Amino acid sequence: MNVEELVRDSLRDLAGEQEPAAPGFADRVLAVRRRRRTRRFASVAAATAAVVAVSVAVPQLVSGGRDDVRPSEVTGGQSLPVTAISAGRTVVAAYYTTKTRKSGKGEGVAERTYRLLDPSTGRYKKDTRWSYVAVAPGAKTAAVLERTLPASRVGLLDLTTGKVRKWYEIRMGIGGLSFSRDGTKLVVTTYDENPDRMFEVKNADGGVNGWMAGRPTSRNGYMILDVEDGNGAWWQIKSGRDVPSRADFAFTGDDKAVYARIVGGQDGMEEFYDLSGKKITAPAKEKYLRWDVPARISPNGELAALGLTKEVNMGKKLPGKSYSSIRNPLTGKEITKVRGGQLLAWVDDHRLIAWERTTPLKNAGYKDRLVLVTIGSDKIVPLSGERDPDDGPQRLAWEPVFAER
């Protein structure tokens, strides 16, 4: 599907809809939702640290039908996925819930509880051993951190057996992990303190309103770790006041650099570093992307997933319709719009997995579910049960971890 076809199909499907919102609408809506949902995200190079060399086989991709779409069964009252959610070669390989545990006077720690997909059964299984999980391409292996952060080692977990095959002894204060797209490397983000520290927020009457991530960050660097031979280099970086408490690095689409969130004059801002600790300008296809739109670049590199730009009121009883922007990654110019309030992962070059609202636009609060959306079509395919992003631990709001299978 080329650009002309995308524009033609999208205009036909969206004909008769109201005009797009005024400039800045997406940032305002996303900012409000992030505040409401209480997001817990909370230079030069220096030394190199040796890592114990081990040999680890990266699993090959297992087969997944191009058009295979599998919604999940869910639990009765909590809508937590029970069976695998997948579309094409993209799968929700794990998901997690978060609960803040009080650790001292006015202080706490936001702790994740993961449910990991067992490839042999196609079902999610709760695993409380890990504070952080990143899933490798193939969805058979995960990199894991033990409960206490920052951690001193990284484990490679076999998702079928539930056993750790290898440990990397790093001892650098690890807080975050992310695989490269080819699965051969890990970027390991290091911190001096737990990046998920929280502080009580009190109202004017002295009562506790909730929890807020601490600032400034204690992030001190990152390591590029070779998964096959276990070798890696750690690079020290300085983090200023524009870096939130948790600001993990992830690989760019071509695996040639890493990026992380920063806080600035607009939502979604990012900073970039090369693989040798040097800060760089954004790569050509990444400079218009946003950290809060995880889908990023399409598999063929021709389309960029951007933020929410439009919502349509369908009445008092029907869910509102959300639309996000699809743009040219090199120019930032919008090509078309696609259904979905937040674009999470590409399934192929014209389909994505997104969060989409299940509630009317007015006087109904905000709830959502995972859906499959298609460029050039107004239809959605539900993939999960309804989720309330504002829910506390009683209802267990959850966040997906995607992998290519």
Side-chain angles (χ1 to χ4, degrees):
M1 180 178 287
N2 58 32
V3 170
E4 288 76 19
E5 290 171 333
L6 289 175
V7 174
R8 184 178 64 250
D9 290 346
S10 299
L11 289 175
R12 181 172 60 247
D13 283 315
L14 299 177
E17 301 278 12
Q18 66 186 44
E19 290 297 314
F25 171 77
D27 286 339
R28 292 196 301 274
V29 172
L30 286 171
V32 169
R33 286 194 184 156
R34 277 194 299 276
R35 288 193 294 271
R36 193 173 63 211
R37 298 179 195 179
T38 315
R39 295 277 186 194
R40 293 180 174 90
F41 293 98
S43 7
V44 179
T48 309
V51 182
V52 178
V54 294
S55 177
V56 179
V58 178
Q60 296 181 348
L61 295 176
V62 297
S63 60
R66 180 180 181 276
D67 296 317
D68 178 34
V69 179
R70 298 186 180 181
S72 179
E73 297 175 9
V74 298
T75 61
Q78 297 172 335
S79 295
L80 292 178
V82 173
T83 56
I85 298 173
S86 65
R89 301 186 74 177
T90 300
V91 61
V92 177
Y95 66 91
Y96 64 89
T97 58
T98 305
K99 181 178 180 180
T100 299
R101 173 181 59 84
K102 193 165 185 177
S103 60
K105 186 177 181 180
E107 296 187 5
V109 177
E111 296 181 332
R112 299 181 181 187
T113 297
Y114 282 88
R115 288 164 174 83
L116 309 180
L117 180 61
D118 183 338
S120 65
T121 66
R123 299 177 71 86
Y124 297 104
K125 184 177 180 180
K126 186 176 181 180
D127 193 336
T128 60
R129 293 175 292 173
W130 317 119
S131 64
Y132 199 96
V133 174
V135 181
K140 290 186 176 182
T141 300
V144 295
L145 299 179
E146 293 167 293
R147 290 285 350 158
T148 301
L149 295 180
S152 62
R153 61 181 185 171
V154 178
L156 276 188
L157 179 72
D158 186 316
L159 290 173
T160 300
T161 66
K163 296 180 179 180
V164 175
R165 297 202 313 263
K166 298 287 182 180
W167 286 105
Y168 301 99
E169 301 287 345
I170 295 176
R171 303 186 185 281
M172 293 297 298
I174 311 160
L177 305 167
S178 185
F179 277 96
S180 58
R181 292 189 67 173
D182 63 11
T184 64
K185 295 181 176 61
L186 274 170
V187 57
V188 178
T189 307
T190 58
Y191 296 85
D192 290 323
E193 299 176 351
N194 191 329
D196 297 321
R197 293 171 61 208
M198 306 291 284
F199 297 90
E200 287 182 336
V201 179
K202 297 184 177 181
N203 56 34
D205 297 326
V208 176
N209 259 353
W211 296 94
M212 181 177 180
R215 297 236 350 238
T217 186
S218 68
R219 193 186 69 183
N220 55 34
Y222 64 92
M223 172 180 286
I224 304 299
L225 181 69
D226 190 293
V227 175
E228 183 175 357
D229 62 24
N231 291 324
W234 178 74
W235 305 100
Q236 183 180 29
I237 59 171
K238 290 184 177 180
S239 294
R241 297 183 63 84
D242 60 345
V243 179
S245 179
R246 176 175 283 282
D248 298 334
F249 285 101
F251 284 94
T252 54
D254 59 7
D255 287 344
K256 294 180 179 179
V258 295
Y259 69 93
R261 175 195 178 191
I262 57 174
V263 178
Q266 61 188 45
D267 290 333
M269 295 180 65
E270 301 173 334
E271 61 180 355
F272 294 82
Y273 288 79
D274 66 16
L275 303 187
S276 59
K278 181 181 178 181
K279 193 169 187 177
I280 60 174
T281 59
K285 287 190 174 182
E286 310 244 349
K287 66 180 180 178
Y288 295 106
L289 301 182
R290 303 168 56 113
W291 75 267
D292 51 2
V293 183
R296 301 180 76 80
I297 301 292
S298 62
N300 64 8
E302 296 180 0
L303 302 172
L306 271 296
L308 176 70
T309 59
K310 176 181 178 181
E311 290 192 309
V312 178
N313 185 13
M314 303 301 294
K316 293 182 178 180
K317 296 184 178 181
L318 294 176
K321 291 183 178 181
S322 303
Y323 294 88
S324 291
S325 184
I326 299 294
R327 303 194 179 209
N328 182 317
L330 292 174
T331 66
K333 183 178 179 180
E334 183 173 281
I335 296 172
T336 186
K337 292 181 176 63
V338 68
R339 286 292 305 274
Q342 186 186 27
L343 303 179
L344 302 174
W346 289 91
V347 170
D348 49 40
D349 294 325
H350 63 283
R351 295 184 299 169
L352 304 97
I353 296 176
W355 287 120
E356 174 61 315
R357 68 181 306 135
T358 59
T359 50
L361 253 62
K362 298 180 180 180
N363 304 320
Y366 183 89
K367 296 182 181 181
D368 55 19
R369 62 183 171 182
L370 285 185
V371 298
L372 179 69
V373 300
T374 302
I375 295 173
S377 173
D378 203 47
K379 296 179 180 178
I380 63 171
V381 177
L383 297 177
S384 76
E386 184 180 70
R387 181 191 78 145
D388 187 339
D390 291 331
D391 278 351
Q394 292 75 25
R395 289 287 300 280
L396 299 177
W398 55 279
E399 294 288 343
V401 177
F402 292 96
E404 186 178 3
R405 58 183 176 138

